Amino acid sequence: MEALGALGIIGIIANFAGIISLAIQLAEILDKAVDIAKTADERVQHIAVELRAIAYCLTTLQTLFNADLTASGDRLFTNEDIRNIDLIAQQCDTIFRRIANSFARMGRVAVLDAVDEHHRRFPSGSAAVIPSNALAFKFSILGRLKWQVKSRDVLQSVADLNQLKGSLVLILAIAESARQSRRQEEETGRAAWKKWRWVGSLRQRCKSSALRHHHHRQPTTHSVAEKQQLCIEAASAEDLQKAYADYDAGTITRDELVRAQDKAAADSVAKMSQTGETLVTDGEQRASSFATYPIIDTLGGKGLADNLAADGQYFAIFDDGHHRQLPRLKSGPLRYKTYAYENFKKSSPYAKGHGMKQAVIAPSMLYLLYPLNGTVEGYPRETFVEDLVNECEKDIRGCFEAGAKRVSMDFTEGRLASKNDPRNPWTGASLLQTFIDLNNSVLSRFSAAERGNIGVHTCPGGDCDSVHSHEVPYSELLPSLFAMNAGYFLIQLASEKDKPSIYKQIGQSIRRDAQGVKQVAFIGVINPLNPEVESAEQVAEDLKEASKWIEKDQLGATDDCGFSPFSIDAKPKHGSPDFAREVAMKKIKARVEGARIASEKLGI
């Protein structure tokens, strides 16, 4: 195929600028046009988030294309790659304009008049950034009435956009993997790096993403010598991330993916055993997402149950602009298709007698599968909640029966429930108490002795080295967190600015008798989002400071969050997933040693 050349690539990059500008401005005007009925309000906000997500993906691709222009060796993208990506961008632009036209029919201003004029003046391939005042829109009174009729067309456009976004996310994951592979081969002095080429057709890559969403894998236990926890979800490396991407693209089989998972899980258990951890984990290498492993196989949409749709609520919108999305329940009943204990059974032989722990998703996260407002026909919310509690109980019991010493529930949505983000309506729906009650419903199914080994993890997120609710003060979550009758809590703290005040809040809220269980607080002493490795002495000092406020027999150490909660995570602050994996093991070892030092100094 004829080479594009530098000018051709520059033209595509410039064209991206116009598409990105349209997406961002359309998102902004929709954010301002939320003076319609509540249901429409929430959907409009979701559309705005989708538009920004596409803009984020295209901006990242712009950066990669620019890097290719200045690369001294082989380009990351072939000419065919660039043309295919440009085709996706043009399809996005068409859908953006379709959405804008739909809303224009419900408003007082024809939204695209200025845009059409601008595109006539600056055709494709030129600097087509749209003027900031090009778009203006406000729902008319009649427009509010038209929403019920027009919304179906708009939401279908968003569903089409979701498929294209899934392709862009997959492209970025594969491109990042290839970029890191090239860097590694250059560093080791190997000869020619083989270019990444698209495998399969564009259609194969247009898969919808069911949960584009974030989280952390749970920790393993030790203590302020014997009760520590480890949150290491992403102990797999680029080869496993690539295997997930290839499986989504249809270029490898399920058996080949399982072999990659086996290899990563075995490596995680072995490396963690060498850190001194009392209880180890496989890093949840077999789960594409910590949050949706029970209901879908991969982030690319493989294995989504028939009674679920990919267009559910956003679990979280992160500070760097990306988001993770949950599926939507279309009909009942809710049933897990994969249980955490099934993955645990596959990995437990690798431990060779070493104690293991397991994380499960809290029912409060999956509560968001049900529409925020309204009902699922033939499946009342009360019935859904009962099914959800039953499934979570089954998941936890199965882990214990398989040999897990401890089981932790991931509850990252706890802090997020108080964020009140207008782009993400559930965060302003006062759901924290609902979440606490729901999780307690599961815990009530277990005896006090069993609950002593069931924990709850909370954090402000930790995906792609970004967070989703760090600005929410802990006072919004505590003491509600300790109202759950769990035996221990894994609490992000290392990245907090005012640690002593939070230690004090924990000490005031933690219970010595939670219906027969003495609660233990494992405080975060390791920041997984920062590649700098903490020293053992630094860890020990944090624990000594915390002991001023928290009783020593209720104090332990953990990592703030999982090191990588999803199978698509480039670890931008670290440079590569493989390097991040090496750093994670060093951090875990520092935590173990720091807890040992603190135990000696505190006389434990």
Side-chain angles (χ1 to χ4, degrees):
M1 185 177 290
E2 182 181 351
L4 279 172
L7 289 178
I9 297 174
I10 291 171
I12 289 174
I13 293 172
N15 196 44
F16 272 28
I19 298 172
I20 293 165
S21 177
L22 176 56
I24 292 173
Q25 288 198 48
L26 184 54
E28 288 175 351
I29 63 171
L30 293 183
D31 276 340
K32 296 175 183 178
V34 293
D35 55 344
I36 50 175
K38 184 172 179 57
T39 299
D41 182 359
E42 293 164 1
R43 292 179 179 178
V44 169
Q45 290 168 335
H46 278 198
I47 295 167
V49 172
E50 284 293 336
L51 292 166
R52 288 192 175 92
I54 292 286
Y56 173 80
C57 290
L58 292 176
T59 300
T60 305
L61 284 166
Q62 271 188 312
T63 301
L64 293 175
F65 287 172
N66 276 318
D68 257 5
L69 284 174
T70 58
S72 57
D74 288 329
R75 283 167 34 196
L76 183 64
F77 298 96
T78 65
N79 292 338
E80 183 181 1
D81 298 338
I82 295 173
R83 289 189 175 96
N84 282 327
I85 295 170
D86 186 42
L87 175 61
I88 294 177
Q90 296 302 323
Q91 290 173 325
C92 289
D93 183 60
T94 298
I95 296 174
F96 294 161
R97 295 164 68 80
R98 191 194 310 162
I99 292 172
N101 275 318
S102 295
F103 277 103
R105 297 188 192 104
M106 294 182 278
R108 291 199 292 262
V109 180
V111 185
L112 288 181
D113 288 351
V115 177
D116 288 335
E117 173 61 24
H118 192 72
H119 278 299
R120 280 193 291 271
R121 293 176 56 200
F122 300 99
S124 177
S126 66
V129 177
I130 299 167
S132 59
N133 61 352
L135 301 182
F137 175 79
K138 185 174 179 64
F139 276 98
S140 63
I141 295 175
L142 180 61
R144 301 177 192 180
L145 300 176
K146 287 182 178 180
W147 169 258
Q148 298 301 326
V149 177
K150 297 294 183 182
S151 62
R152 182 172 299 179
D153 293 338
V154 174
L155 296 177
Q156 180 57 56
S157 295
V158 175
D160 295 340
L161 205 59
N162 240 328
Q163 288 193 330
L164 294 173
K165 184 182 69 176
S167 298
L168 292 172
V169 169
L170 186 59
I171 292 164
L172 288 171
I174 296 174
E176 177 62 22
S177 177
R179 189 174 68 87
Q180 299 301 337
S181 296
R182 174 169 63 181
R183 178 187 297 175
Q184 287 180 337
E185 294 193 7
E186 288 173 349
E187 288 174 352
T188 55
R190 286 187 214 156
W193 169 75
K194 296 182 179 179
K195 283 187 219 178
W196 165 63
R197 294 184 180 275
W198 280 52
V199 187
S201 67
L202 179 62
R203 287 173 189 256
Q204 288 178 306
R205 295 185 177 274
C206 288
K207 308 286 186 182
S208 62
S209 294
L211 173 125
R212 300 152 258 219
H213 68 213
H214 145 5
H215 206 272
H216 359 234
R217 239 57 268 163
Q218 276 327 90
T220 72
T221 340
H222 224 265
S223 127
V224 173
E226 307 270 5
K227 297 176 189 160
Q228 294 195 62
Q229 300 295 332
L230 153 76
C231 277
I232 173 150
E233 354 170 64
S236 47
E238 295 172 28
D239 54 350
L240 181 57
Q241 288 196 20
K242 184 176 185 301
Y244 274 113
D246 289 345
Y247 179 63
D248 272 329
T251 60
I252 67 171
T253 65
R254 174 73 182 177
D255 287 344
E256 289 174 306
L257 173 62
V258 169
R259 283 196 290 272
Q261 291 171 329
D262 287 342
K263 181 179 178 181
D267 185 63
S268 292
V269 173
K271 282 186 168 61
M272 202 174 305
S273 299
Q274 296 168 8
T275 65
E277 276 287 357
T278 300
L279 298 180
V280 300
T281 172
D282 68 357
E284 297 177 65
Q285 307 296 290
R286 303 180 191 280
S288 184
S289 158
F290 79 98
T292 52
Y293 70 84
I295 53 176
I296 193 168
D297 294 340
T298 71
L299 289 177
K302 291 270 191 177
L304 184 64
D306 291 339
N307 65 336
L308 294 169
D311 60 346
Q313 301 185 77
Y314 293 105
F315 149 55
I317 301 172
F318 289 79
D319 288 358
D320 66 356
H322 85 281
H323 67 264
R324 297 292 184 179
Q325 186 175 9
L326 291 162
R328 172 177 56 85
L329 191 67
K330 298 189 297 182
S331 62
L334 174 73
R335 294 291 184 269
Y336 286 11
K337 61 175 293 182
T338 302
Y339 294 89
Y341 64 76
E342 294 174 316
N343 291 334
F344 181 91
K345 288 178 180 178
K346 294 176 184 177
S347 295
S348 57
Y350 304 140
K352 300 178 181 179
H354 207 119
M356 292 189 70
K357 70 158 287 181
Q358 180 63 41
V360 301
I361 189 60
S364 47
M365 171 69 79
L366 297 183
Y367 180 82
L368 297 173
L369 296 176
Y370 204 91
L372 181 61
N373 298 299
T375 61
V376 174
E377 185 177 358
Y379 194 47
R381 189 180 297 271
E382 295 77 13
T383 306
F384 162 71
V385 167
E386 181 65 21
D387 287 342
L388 178 55
V389 170
N390 289 338
E391 290 297 276
C392 187
E393 178 195 2
K394 180 179 178 180
D395 208 13
I396 294 172
R397 288 198 184 280
C399 291
F400 283 133
E401 290 169 2
K405 303 300 182 184
R406 288 193 171 183
V407 180
S408 305
M409 293 195 296
D410 274 316
F411 184 52
T412 187
E413 62 277 13
R415 197 164 174 182
L416 188 56
S418 297
K419 183 170 182 176
N420 197 16
D421 184 345
R423 301 169 300 170
N424 200 9
W426 78 261
T427 65
S430 302
L431 288 178
L432 179 58
Q433 189 58 51
T434 299
F435 289 167
I436 299 295
D437 293 342
L438 181 58
N439 293 341
N440 263 337
S441 295
V442 173
L443 292 167
S444 69
R445 305 280 183 92
F446 296 87
S447 68
E450 290 170 326
R451 284 186 287 111
N453 289 311
I454 299 176
V456 175
H457 166 66
T458 184
C459 72
D463 182 30
C464 297
D465 291 339
S466 186
V467 294
H468 55 57
S469 56
H470 195 267
E471 70 273 32
V472 177
Y474 260 116
S475 58
E476 297 288 333
L477 180 60
L478 304 171
S480 297
L481 182 69
F482 292 102
M484 287 186 281
N485 297 313
Y488 63 93
F489 296 83
L490 313 166
I491 306 170
Q492 168 270 342
L493 259 168
S495 54
E496 291 295 322
K497 293 181 179 179
D498 186 7
K499 298 177 189 178
S501 69
I502 301 172
Y503 298 153
K504 183 177 181 180
Q505 291 178 58
I506 292 172
Q508 293 171 338
S509 302
I510 196 168
R511 292 185 287 166
R512 294 194 72 82
D513 185 1
Q515 295 189 0
V517 176
K518 180 174 68 176
Q519 295 178 332
V520 176
F522 292 92
I523 64 166
V525 293
I526 297 293
N527 181 2
L529 306 185
N530 187 340
E532 182 179 349
V533 178
E534 294 84 352
S535 68
E537 291 72 21
Q538 180 182 344
V539 169
E541 285 303 311
D542 280 350
L543 290 167
K544 285 174 58 182
E545 178 67 23
S547 71
K548 297 176 182 178
W549 307 100
I550 305 169
E551 295 292 338
K552 289 182 284 188
D553 63 343
Q554 291 181 280
L555 177 63
T558 186
D559 310 307
D560 269 8
C561 187
F563 287 87
S564 183
F566 299 99
S567 60
I568 300 176
D569 188 348
K571 303 298 293 182
K573 293 181 181 177
H574 290 73
S576 81
D578 278 335
F579 177 68
R581 179 181 177 81
E582 294 176 14
V583 169
M585 294 303 170
K586 292 177 181 178
K587 283 174 172 277
I588 295 166
K589 188 172 182 179
R591 171 172 50 74
V592 172
E593 177 61 15
R596 184 193 64 77
I597 295 171
S599 295
E600 291 180 354
K601 292 184 176 181
L602 295 173
I604 300 176

